[in-house]
Amino acid sequence: MPKKSIKRPTLYTSFKRAFFNKLLKSKHLKNSITLEHKTIYVLPSSLGWYFIVVAILNFVMGINYQNNLILIMSYLMFVVIVIAILMGYSNVRGLTVTFKNVFSSFAAQTPSAQFILQSTHACQSISLIYQDITQTYCHLDEINNTAVTATLNLPYEQRGRYAFQRIKIASNYPFGLVTVWSYVQPQATVFVYPSLEKVHSDAHVSSLDEQADNGKVKKLGSEEFEHLVIHQPEMGLNRVSWKHYAKTQQLLVKEFVDFKTANALFDFNLMTGGTEQRLSQLCFLVCEATEQNSSFMLKLPNKSIEINTGQQHKQQCLECLSAYDGDVL
């Protein structure tokens, strides 16, 4: 899968980003925003600036040559710009953008985020752009009273934990002469898990159960018959083997056991290869154990996650593996 090329920010872009960060302060640091007067920004687009320059030149030419037709044309161009600003503003006013969820991914695949967009009126041509990276965007042609779900791919492919950056909500409606935009910055974290590398668990996993045999441990239960023991006064009569009593006149009690998968310890130091390869092997073991509903403990050089099972335990372990940097998690 080819990697996306991300342009590095220029000095102008860095200055503009720092300026807007200071200007916007915290009014866009939220998971949901409804665009209104205080959160809508309007400026001519690149095409709009050219349009304005041509209008000014027409105005200058009309004055110099005393040509009313050229002057009227320049006035009409300015009117078009004003109309574009008003229409662009009214187009996005009332639009609500709500952050729904972020979907983590495994390394070499990009994570994604879901947003719900809804407007009180027909809203045309809306784009969601991640951190002003024009290659990472989602475009919607029309939004109305019906909630629309938009999925935005995020530009992260390497294992790690990333802070969710600002989302730009932009539109060039109606003529492409103006850019109307706003921002929303969800308070969320993006995880890219290690890639999956298959590993034989019996060769690289130690057991937490001392009496484990071939990855199985047996405990008193009710599934399989194990042996007979002499009846004790505190024992009930429900498990007495009456067949043996009829033959030997001796009360014997049936003992049953349950077999279950032994609790596993996934240890970073038991894996092979470099750091990334070991993390990938641990990631595979965590996913495999969760599918088998097995209990396991994860141990890294500087952190351990206690034994547990289930999807929540799996997510906690995968996030721990994603954030591992060799020193501090």
Side-chain angles (χ1 to χ4, degrees), residues 202 207 211-217 260-262:
D202 56 347
S207 175
Q211 299 178 348
D213 183 20
N214 294 326
K216 298 288 185 179
V217 62
K260 70 169 188 176
T261 304

Side-chain angles (χ1 to χ4, degrees), residues 197-209:
E197 181 174 328
K198 191 172 182 179
V199 60
H200 298 291
S201 58
D202 56 347
H204 299 285
V205 179
S206 64
S207 175
L208 292 175
D209 296 303

